[in-house]
Amino acid sequence: MKLWAGRFEKATNKAVEDFHSSIRFDQRLYRQDIMGSIAHATMLGKIGILTPEDQQAIVEGLKGILADIEAGKVTFDVGAEDIHMNVEQLLTQRIGPAGGRLHTGRSRNDQVALDGRMFVKDAIQDVGAHLHSLQSALARMAREHTETIMPGYTHLQKAQPITLAFHLMAYFEMFQRDRERLQDALVRTNRMPLGSGALAGTTYPLDREMVAQALGFDEITRNALDGVSDRDFVVEFTGCCSLIMMHLSRFCEEMILWSSHEFQFVTMDDGFSTGSSIMPQKKNPDVAELIRGKTGRVYGDLAGLLAMMKSLPLAYNKDMQEDKEALFDAYDTTVGCLEIFTAMLTTCTFNKDVMRRGASGGFTNATDAADYLVKKGLPFRQAHEVIGHMVLYCVKHGCALEDLSLPQLQEFSPVIGEDFYEAIDLMRCVNDRALPGGPAQSAVLAHLAQAEALLATGIGTAEK
Ligand code: ARG
């Protein structure tokens, strides 16, 4: 019989029962649900609403159910609708009518809000740890490539020479912001909603602080109506996941490009590539492509959540049951992608020579050539024009700036001397950009030291 069957005369239509039941997916919240119930029952015992015997029976019963679920001994009942009513039903089967006292002063509305918050808190920690591993790998790899010259691009056209370390550390920063963002979201997620009741609190003198403390929450929610209506924390977490996926996807796009025959900057490990059923020569970057593809899926989760919430009147509406699959999917997808991406990245081989050659064609040192003229006294605008003419000449003759002889160079500007060649040497171009945040080896090493300290102290990690 339904836990809410009292006011009904007819049974639920079978199709409706399947339709509105969420146990298929919300069983994943069993641990949060049971831990929340244990804290609630313990508090009810302390304030004298449950007798010590009932309280003990309930807590013991809940622990037994938890153990049984974890041992795979429990089959959930679709008729019991969701994880909350399944647990209560199992409890009553196990300990008798005392089980019916657990729900005193509580509603499934504040219960599901609690379970969701507990789940997201753990998810934040887990995603944060995965980001930390990826960042550690990036810092390790960057240490090895502070002299690996490669072309930097804008508009996907060669722009200025940089190093692979500099490029990798750009991603380090993106993932650092992602980790900080999660940490920030944790502050708002870390509020305990039990005591909100269905929407208007409860007449029982519940000790909300005690429950919050028992469950490791920093604070309690401050308005019951909001406590049961709010799913911002789910949206925010999924938003965090979306940004992580965006960063992964851009990185994947680069790996896909770089592993193409046209670029050949990187060779992916065989273990992370796949072949073609028809073309024997193929080695495809499927892992990177799939991560790029799954990014759209996580964005879909976020868009779905936002659309689901947008017109809901306060307080709880059944629409909100739809938050779970999106949340679980965004979480699973993001963690899965972070794991496999880290493994893929750390096993690939960067083809240093090709990268360096890539930086030498395409006039990536043209800005430095112009800067050379500025140092010789020309206004930058004029220097820009002189080097522009020089580039055009080289394009027409199929050569690079450094291929021109000194007399040839001097035809473009008499101030050019022998030291021009040194000034436009790629390593020099990189290492002259030594201001904080620049690509020079000295600047990247300083960034790396800072980054490694950050990883070691755990600042920005999700510790709670
Ligand atoms: N299964 C529901 C959900 O996930 C739990 C809350 C149900 N509350 C209610 N009044 N029907 O949203």
Side-chain angles (χ1 to χ4, degrees):
M1 201 180 66
K2 295 273 188 296
L3 293 178
W4 40 254
R7 64 97 63 226
F8 287 78
E9 291 181 332
K10 270 174 75 180
T12 314
N13 178 297
K14 185 75 187 88
V16 170
E17 191 150 288
D18 286 340
F19 182 67
H20 85 154
S21 172
S22 54
I23 188 64
R24 185 170 42 81
F25 48 84
D26 69 11
Q27 57 180 271
R28 184 159 175 184
L29 297 171
Y30 73 87
R31 169 167 276 278
Q32 288 81 0
D33 199 71
I34 291 174
M35 297 315 284
S37 287
I38 289 175
H40 181 65
T42 307
M43 181 274 296
L44 289 179
K46 189 201 140 216
I47 63 172
I49 290 191
L50 288 180
T51 63
E53 300 73 48
D54 282 349
Q55 183 220 302
Q56 207 193 336
I58 289 173
V59 171
E60 290 310 314
L62 287 167
K63 286 183 181 162
I65 293 167
L66 180 60
D68 282 358
I69 295 175
E70 281 183 341
K73 291 193 207 148
V74 170
T75 314
F76 291 107
D77 173 11
V78 175
E81 213 175 303
D82 54 25
I83 186 62
H84 325 295
M85 293 204 291
N86 264 273
V87 170
E88 190 178 325
Q89 181 172 291
L90 288 165
L91 183 66
T92 306
Q93 282 163 4
R94 194 180 266 255
I95 68 167
R101 295 187 189 277
L102 167 64
H103 211 49
T104 313
R106 192 176 65 170
S107 158
R108 270 189 297 155
N109 297 352
D110 55 357
Q111 194 177 352
V112 74
L114 174 73
D115 295 2
R117 283 175 181 271
M118 289 172 73
F119 183 90
V120 172
K121 280 177 63 179
D122 287 347
I124 285 175
Q125 182 169 30
D126 190 29
V127 175
H130 279 87
L131 284 170
H132 190 279
S133 308
L134 173 52
Q135 287 181 291
S136 307
L138 286 170
R140 261 197 319 275
M141 292 166 72
R143 279 240 168 249
E144 288 167 29
H145 291 290
T146 57
E147 291 179 289
T148 306
I149 304 269
M150 61 174 276
Y153 297 84
T154 64
H155 311 268
L156 202 54
Q157 306 286 324
K158 285 175 193 177
Q160 291 174 342
I162 56 172
T163 66
L164 179 57
F166 181 67
H167 198 100
L168 294 172
M169 290 307 284
Y171 281 103
F172 180 99
E173 284 299 309
M174 294 175 230
F175 294 124
Q176 177 61 25
R177 284 196 298 282
D178 289 336
R179 215 149 52 89
E180 289 168 11
R181 206 172 347 260
L182 282 168
Q183 188 67 27
D184 193 46
L186 179 62
V187 176
R188 283 174 292 281
T189 306
N190 213 346
R191 294 176 187 153
M192 202 292 298
L194 276 196
S196 300
L199 75 162
T202 171
T203 52
Y204 299 97
L206 305 184
D207 186 343
R208 300 188 62 206
E209 294 288 354
M210 176 183 170
V211 175
Q213 219 176 9
L215 295 174
F217 279 90
D218 282 352
E219 299 173 53
I220 56 174
T221 54
R222 297 186 281 259
N223 175 288
L225 195 54
D226 177 49
V228 288
S229 304
D230 170 27
R231 293 294 180 273
D232 305 9
F233 62 95
V234 179
V235 174
E236 202 174 351
F237 173 72
T238 309
C240 291
C241 290
S242 297
L243 285 171
I244 294 168
M245 292 302 297
M246 178 182 83
H247 293 148
L248 281 179
S249 186
R250 295 185 74 174
F251 210 157
C252 283
E253 171 64 16
E254 294 193 321
M255 297 300 280
I256 293 163
L257 269 177
W258 291 3
S259 64
S260 68
H261 189 260
E262 286 70 16
F263 271 83
Q264 298 183 45
F265 283 4
V266 71
T267 307
M268 297 224 187
D269 187 79
D270 278 0
F272 290 84
S273 316
T274 47
S276 156
S277 57
I278 171 167
M279 297 167 281
Q281 86 284 11
K282 292 282 269 177
K283 182 171 160 186
N284 296 327
D286 288 34
V287 171
E289 291 169 78
L290 250 185
I291 295 172
R292 192 178 57 184
K294 283 177 190 290
T295 302
R297 175 182 172 137
V298 175
Y299 290 1
D301 292 328
L302 176 62
L305 285 165
L306 287 167
M308 182 271 286
M309 290 298 290
K310 82 182 247 293
S311 319
L312 297 187
L314 305 186
Y316 178 82
N317 299 269
K318 187 77 166 199
D319 315 43
M320 288 152 75
Q321 179 166 286
E322 289 289 309
D323 67 347
K324 285 166 210 63
E325 284 161 296
L327 166 64
F328 297 157
D329 186 67
Y331 169 48
D332 293 341
T333 306
T334 305
V335 164
C337 288
L338 280 168
E339 248 167 35
I340 196 127
F341 181 82
T342 307
M344 179 187 82
L345 186 71
T346 48
T347 50
C348 70
T349 314
F350 289 97
N351 305 322
K352 295 191 197 184
D353 295 344
V354 184
M355 287 183 139
R356 201 198 158 85
R357 246 180 286 133
S360 19
F363 311 101
T364 58
N365 50 3
T367 313
D368 300 83
D371 286 341
Y372 170 89
L373 294 180
V374 170
K375 279 173 203 145
K376 297 278 175 187
L378 265 68
F380 181 76
R381 199 40 65 208
Q382 198 189 330
H384 187 288
E385 202 191 345
V386 170
I387 302 299
H389 289 144
M390 206 186 273
V391 167
L392 184 61
Y393 177 88
C394 289
V395 169
K396 286 188 177 156
H397 292 83
C399 63
L401 299 180
E402 54 272 29
D403 296 332
L404 301 178
S405 68
L406 191 55
Q408 276 178 307
L409 290 170
Q410 283 168 342
E411 278 182 33
F412 291 95
S413 170
V415 304
I416 297 180
E418 193 59 50
D419 55 350
F420 181 77
Y421 296 103
E422 224 239 289
I424 63 166
D425 169 72
L426 292 182
M427 199 68 220
R428 167 86 185 269
C429 297
V430 169
N431 283 336
D432 274 358
R433 289 173 163 73
L435 73 174
Q441 187 175 36
S442 60
V444 171
L445 286 175
H447 181 201
L448 263 168
Q450 204 181 29
E452 284 158 354
L454 201 67
L455 289 174
T457 57
I459 294 168
T461 57
E463 280 140 349
K464 290 191 179 168

